[in-house]
C-alpha cells in the first residue's frame, strides 16, 4: 500500500483533510480521528476509480514497491 501525505485543518465544523498528491481527494470529520478515517476511505476509493478508468484492452496493471 502506498503512503500519502495529507493536510489536516481545523475548521468551524471540525476538521477538513485533503491529499495534495491526489487532486480533488478530500474529506472531513467532527474529530481529527474521524477525518483521518474518512480520508483513508476517500484515498482508497480515489485510487480504485483511477485504476478502473485506466483499464482498457491495451493496458496491464503491475504493483511496484
Amino acid at each position: 500500500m502506498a503512503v500519502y501525505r495529507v493536510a489536516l485543518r481545523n475548521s468551524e465544523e471540525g476538521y477538513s483533510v485533503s491529499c495534495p498528491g491526489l487532486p480533488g481527494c478530500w474529506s472531513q470529520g467532527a474529530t481529527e480521528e474521524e477525518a483521518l478515517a474518512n480520508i483513508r476511505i476517500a484515498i482508497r476509493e480515489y485510487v480504485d476509480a483511477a485504476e478502473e478508468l485506466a483499464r482498457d484492452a491495451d493496458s496491464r496493471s503491475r504493483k511496484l514497491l
Side-chain angles (χ1 to χ4, degrees), residues 7-42:
L8 185 68
R9 293 177 186 85
N10 195 350
S11 70
E12 291 180 12
E13 295 84 25
Y15 290 86
S16 66
V17 61
S18 63
C19 183
L22 302 174
C25 185
W26 65 274
S27 193
Q28 60 188 18
T31 65
E32 184 174 329
E33 293 79 18
E34 181 181 11
L36 292 172
N38 289 342
I39 196 66
R40 282 185 187 96
I41 295 166

Side-chain angles (χ1 to χ4, degrees), residues 1-4 40 43-44 65:
M1 170 121 191
V3 175
Y4 294 96
R40 282 185 187 96
I43 289 169
R44 194 172 317 121
L65 299 178

